[in-house]
Amino acid sequence: QVQLVESGGGLVQPGGSLRLSCAASGSIDVRYALMGWYRQAPGKQRELVARIYISGIEDYVDSVKGRFTISKDNAKNTVYLQMNNLKPEDTAVYYCYTLKGSDYWGQGTQVTVSS
């Protein structure tokens, strides 16, 4: 089994920053897994925000390029999403994701960008 637990969401003003964390446990080692962050805004479909491959290659949706950075801490078995220069349109529930035979998702963490 795989467990993913997100944290770090909250309310932030436009232009602010947040760092989301995804602690992975169970039968998963983030060094050897595709890890990603998705988000879902009210009334919209869930969309890929960023992912990091086993090779270390990173991939971002165009709307967050240059503002968000995905990274891994192998020792902590944790994946991060550093979000800078946040905009109101970044408001969503953010989910951690991995693919290991099947899809695994965290419970989500709310990010609200508002003045």
Side-chain angles (χ1 to χ4, degrees):
Q1 270 289 41
V2 173
Q3 293 82 42
L4 303 173
V5 179
E6 303 98 334
S7 61
L11 172 63
V12 64
Q13 292 186 342
S17 297
L18 283 174
R19 189 178 77 158
L20 305 183
S21 300
C22 171
S25 61
S27 57
I28 182 171
D29 184 331
V30 299
R31 291 176 296 177
Y32 307 119
L34 169 67
M35 303 296 300
W37 287 95
Y38 282 70
R39 66 186 179 187
Q40 187 166 19
K44 295 188 177 181
Q45 289 189 328
R46 192 173 295 190
E47 66 168 351
L48 173 67
V49 176
R51 58 190 166 193
I52 183 165
Y53 294 89
I54 296 171
S55 64
I57 292 174
E58 302 163 23
D59 187 23
Y60 299 91
V61 66
D62 285 347
S63 60
V64 308
K65 285 180 179 178
R67 299 190 297 123
F68 291 12
T69 303
I70 188 170
S71 62
K72 294 190 290 188
D73 184 329
N74 296 331
K76 295 182 178 179
N77 214 31
T78 297
V79 179
Y80 302 99
L81 184 67
Q82 177 67 43
M83 306 186 295
N84 298 327
N85 190 23
L86 282 159
K87 303 177 180 181
E89 52 264 40
D90 295 318
T91 295
V93 178
Y94 284 71
Y95 298 91
C96 184
Y97 163 85
T98 190
L99 174 62
K100 188 184 178 187
S102 302
D103 294 342
Y104 292 93
W105 298 90
Q107 82 287 353
T109 185
Q110 176 71 46
V111 172
T112 302
V113 184
S114 175
S115 54

